[in-house]
Amino acid sequence: MTRKNYDQMILERVEKSFDLIIPISAVIAVFSSYIVSKSDQRSNFVYYDLIICLFLIGVYLLRRKIKIHTKIIIVALVTTILGTASLIQSGFSGTGVILIALSNLVIVSFLSKKMGYYYTGISILVFSLPPILLKANIIGYEGTIAYLLNNPSEWFLHIVAYLLFGLVMVVSINAIKDYLLENINEGKIHSDQLTQLAYYDSLTGIINKHRFVADMNKNKVEQGWVVLLSIRGLNLINSIYGSDVGDNVIKHVAKQLALSSKEGELVAKSGGNEFIWYSRSYDSDVMMNRLLILLENIHASAETIDMPAKFNLNIGFAGIDEPYENIARIIQKSSIALEQSKSSKGASITRYDLELENEFRTEEELRRFLLKGIENNEFYISYQEKRDCVEERVVGLEALARWQSPELGTVSPSSFIPVIEKASLSQTFGNMIIRKVLDEYSILESKYGVGIMISINISPVHLSSDEFSSFIIKETLSRNINPESIILEITEDSLIEDFEGISETLFTLRKVGYRISLDDFGTGYSSLSYLSRLGFDELKIDRSFVQMIGKDDRTINLVRAIINLKDTYGIDIVAEGVETVDQSEVLKMLGCNVHQGFLFSKPKPIELPLKS
Ligand code: C2E
Ligand code: MG
Ligand code: MG
């Protein structure tokens, strides 16, 4: 706040009081005129007081038309004139000094610093004028006070005293005003800083979610879209390139978002790696188009500024369906869309719809039951045999998780495994399954023979966790089970996420003796390069190929090509989902002898030995 604004603020505050003081002063003037007329011979003052009274009444009547500055100057002038008159009439002993000092005080307190100094100067001049004029015999003193007649030092002393008083007053009042102003400004700086902290993001300088919500509510938005954008893999960028690069990525996205947004739109940072954008676009196609252009701009400009890290965005957006729709609800909708977008691979843009939300709610419910299920031990293992169709014997078993939920009944792994992965429960769940299988291994050995091969499915997230190899090694060895009897089935997804990390884990595990199987071969990326680089022990032809045998001749060629990898890479080939004798025969003919499928065995839990 400037001094000018501050003085103006004071004026605004005193205006009401002034409007009250003026009529009161008018009444006092009438009263004073009455008293003077009764008790004093100085009849001039009767007229002065009456004139002043009329004048003040005039000012009061015109108070709405007259500015406060003018009113103060009028009051000050009136008191000064009266004071001077009194001074001439009665010297220093009259009310003149008080009146002049008062007018000075009013000006200095309520008008600007400059005005205060000018006025003080003028009043000092005015104050010194009568004695000078008297001394020079220009005006005459008609009073009866002796010292005023022929005592120059008395005059001088009074003038100096007033001069000092005027100066002290103008300096101290201005110092107090400056000090108060400084405090106000300091307080404002603090409150600005607090506002900055409370409503702005310190890294990007854009508003935060609180402010976004407040502004959305204030603006009473009636239509448009709320978009949530999340930077994918920011944690990885921070750990690989350092947090400075991560910060630059955030700033870069914020800048591009700000550039894309138009007047009346809002961009805010809603979380560590998340932005929220209110867009006024009317049509969903237009909105989609803007998002595509935004993504393109973000990536194109990242290249020009030589950003070392590659990053992607997940975007979810929801429309404002009805005017003044609850903003919290719209954000919730966009975040459902964002979650959906996050669950897909790579960058993606998802628009909210009710079906999506219902799916989410079902998934959320499933997640809750899953947590409870893990806690309450509602899972068990079913085993499916792998049969060598030439030697006519069971060569191994695949452990498949089963969930018997009291609320939902029997739930298939294809429904609950994806939810487990999304809910970050892969490790807890995976460890539980590994323990269960290893606990039952001795029973399987007693049924299928010592050293029977047992396959366990390992989810990509579980496999890439740091503790995975140490956990499984510890659990296996503590039960005196030979790691060579255990096959870990992994899918190609595991390799895509973190090839280097996974290959290291697999290398360690193979060295200890575990066998590694590539499950569902043919459904993923099926890159042959990692087959040679990683050294698998087994490859499982996906059920979808097996089931096309006899229906599509091209599939036979593909299956044949996969089976031939047996010789190229020296790995065992297992066919999954064999349901018919024909499929089994064709597979045998093509050179694949180990089959797993309903034809030979459905997955079933082990029969526990009867307790004696
Ligand atoms: P998968 O590892 O490919 O397991 C084979 C799936 O094919 C099993 O389904 C099995 O019951 C089914 N199957 C076997 N033979 C036939 C057949 O002849 N016809 C048909 N139609 N299906 C057959 P399931 O048990 O429903 O498991 C589905 C998937 O869930 C598994 O596919 C595996 O990827 C995952 N899964 C199962 N248990 C676990 C587990 O403990 N951990 C992890 N991470 N994933 C698991
Ligand atoms: Mg499997
Ligand atoms: Mg499979």
Side-chain angles (χ1 to χ4, degrees), residues 519-520 542 576:
D519 202 357
D520 303 342
D542 190 65
E576 278 191 303

Side-chain angles (χ1 to χ4, degrees), residues 485-584:
S485 305
I486 293 170
I487 302 177
L488 303 175
E489 287 194 12
I490 66 164
T491 54
E492 284 160 305
D493 297 3
S494 318
L495 308 167
I496 305 306
E497 289 289 318
D498 174 22
F499 186 85
E500 297 302 323
I502 299 292
S503 61
E504 216 179 290
T505 309
L506 293 185
F507 182 76
T508 314
L509 290 168
R510 283 190 94 211
K511 239 170 68 181
V512 178
Y514 294 94
R515 315 250 172 127
I516 311 295
S517 168
L518 187 55
D519 202 357
D520 303 342
F521 188 77
T523 55
Y525 300 86
S526 302
S527 159
L528 294 180
S529 80
Y530 54 66
L531 271 185
S532 59
R533 282 168 68 193
L534 287 176
F536 285 98
D537 302 283
E538 180 189 88
L539 189 152
K540 293 180 98 171
I541 306 173
D542 190 65
R543 196 174 72 215
S544 54
F545 293 103
V546 174
Q547 280 169 4
M548 288 308 283
I549 292 175
K551 294 181 188 155
D552 180 359
D553 287 346
R554 279 170 304 175
T555 315
I556 297 271
N557 292 334
L558 204 71
V559 172
R560 181 184 287 119
I562 299 173
I563 293 170
N564 286 342
L565 295 173
K566 177 169 74 169
D567 302 322
T568 321
Y569 295 105
I571 44 179
D572 299 334
I573 308 286
V574 178
E576 278 191 303
V578 181
E579 287 181 352
T580 64
V581 178
D582 283 352
Q583 289 164 352
S584 180

Side-chain angles (χ1 to χ4, degrees), residues 344-361:
S344 61
K345 291 193 176 81
S348 75
I349 304 174
T350 308
R351 183 185 162 183
Y352 165 87
D353 71 54
L354 192 62
E355 213 171 289
L356 187 71
E357 179 165 357
N358 291 337
E359 254 172 53
F360 244 76
R361 290 195 186 283

Side-chain angles (χ1 to χ4, degrees), residues 332-353:
Q332 186 201 17
K333 286 181 182 175
S334 327
S335 83
I336 289 171
L338 177 67
E339 283 310 309
Q340 182 61 26
S341 156
K342 280 182 184 170
S343 61
S344 61
K345 291 193 176 81
S348 75
I349 304 174
T350 308
R351 183 185 162 183
Y352 165 87
D353 71 54

